Amino acid sequence: MIAPSILSADFARLAEEISAVGGEPGKRADWLHVDVMDAHFVPNLTLGLPVVESILKTTDIPIDCHLMIDDPDRWAPGYAEAGAHNVTVHVEAAHDPVNLAKDLRAAGAKAGLAIKPGTNFDDYVEVLKHYDTLLVMSVEPGFGGQKFMAEVLDKARKARQLVDTGHLKLLVEIDGGINAETIEQAAEAGVDCFVAGSAVYNAEDPAQAIEALRATAAPAFAHARA
């Protein structure tokens, strides 16, 4: 799955940028990744619920909201109620991640849990039993265009092993520095869904970039599982 990040899109032409990745099969985004930052949990400010509500009216691509915010227990359910397909919160910010997952599901969304590069995956395996998505951050959250941190792939491998053995039932997603070179490494580690910002929106043809990324990831994922 390819989830273009609109953090790298032209916000002055956001509807057009979203349309550019919502076309024909094979070149169409599986999810549209929307980064919500509050300038508190991360040192950057992007957009909030009103913009997400507007995006939901313009596209039928499932919206993948990544909330890099303080107090997600309070604010995250609103994104689910608005119609986001997947709402991801950071375990470092959540007060009660198990209860929050239940609230997100009750509001109609898939529940996602994100972990920063320095966060220990093993500490949250039991919590992840309540989630639908694990978002492995392969950069420090807050800004686009950062260099991929290959060392986080150990977390993806552990998650994939737990999924394959039935201990977890979730989708493994990765976000940060994903491009034509790094997506193969991530796919081999067992990642299902790849957030790609610059690799899609800095390309001359975003739809073609999605097709190329998917074509690189799919055989690497299959080969690693064989």
Side-chain angles (χ1 to χ4, degrees), residues 17-19 30 44 56 60-61 63 87 94 105 119 138-139 141 148 166 184 197 213 217 225:
E17 295 279 71
I18 293 171
S19 178
D30 296 285
N44 195 8
L56 284 160
D60 62 353
I61 303 171
I63 302 301
V87 178
R105 286 172 162 178
T119 298
S138 43
V139 298
F148 181 75
E184 188 170 7
L213 287 168
R225 308 278 75 72

Side-chain angles (χ1 to χ4, degrees), residues 37-50:
M37 307 182 196
D38 64 357
H40 293 281
F41 179 69
V42 292
N44 195 8
L45 182 66
T46 54
L47 48 82
L49 183 56

Side-chain angles (χ1 to χ4, degrees), residues 44-203:
N44 195 8
L45 182 66
T46 54
L47 48 82
L49 183 56
V51 176
V52 171
E53 290 172 335
S54 295
I55 291 170
L56 284 160
K57 295 175 183 177
T58 69
T59 184
D60 62 353
I61 303 171
I63 302 301
D64 177 29
C65 280
H66 177 194
L67 306 184
M68 289 169 268
I69 62 173
D70 282 341
D71 201 8
D73 305 68
R74 176 182 179 185
W75 301 110
Y79 291 84
E81 292 165 1
H85 175 75
N86 186 74
V87 178
T88 294
V89 299
H90 269 267
V91 70
E92 303 89 358
H95 304 297
D96 185 347
V98 172
N99 192 58
L100 179 50
K102 294 176 183 177
D103 289 345
L104 291 172
R105 286 172 162 178
K110 300 289 186 183
L113 194 69
I115 54 176
K116 291 182 179 182
T119 298
N120 188 347
F121 168 82
D122 296 332
D123 291 343
Y124 298 102
V125 171
E126 291 302 311
V127 172
L128 283 166
K129 290 180 178 179
H130 300 272
Y131 279 82
D132 304 292
T133 307
L134 166 66
L135 179 59
V136 177
M137 292 301 300
S138 43
V139 298
E140 289 296 335
F143 295 92
Q146 297 182 63
K147 185 179 178 181
F148 181 75
M149 300 170 69
E151 59 267 28
V152 305
L153 292 179
D154 283 342
K155 298 176 187 179
R157 293 186 188 97
K158 289 179 179 180
R160 171 52 52 193
Q161 183 179 23
L162 291 170
V163 171
D164 289 346
T165 56
H167 289 83
L168 292 177
K169 295 181 180 179
L170 49 72
L171 180 147
V172 182
E173 185 177 13
I174 196 164
D175 181 8
I178 295 297
N179 54 39
E181 289 73 42
T182 59
I183 195 169
E184 188 170 7
Q185 299 175 54
E188 288 173 347
V191 172
D192 301 289
C193 183
F194 308 86
V195 178
S198 302
V200 171
Y201 278 115
N202 286 359

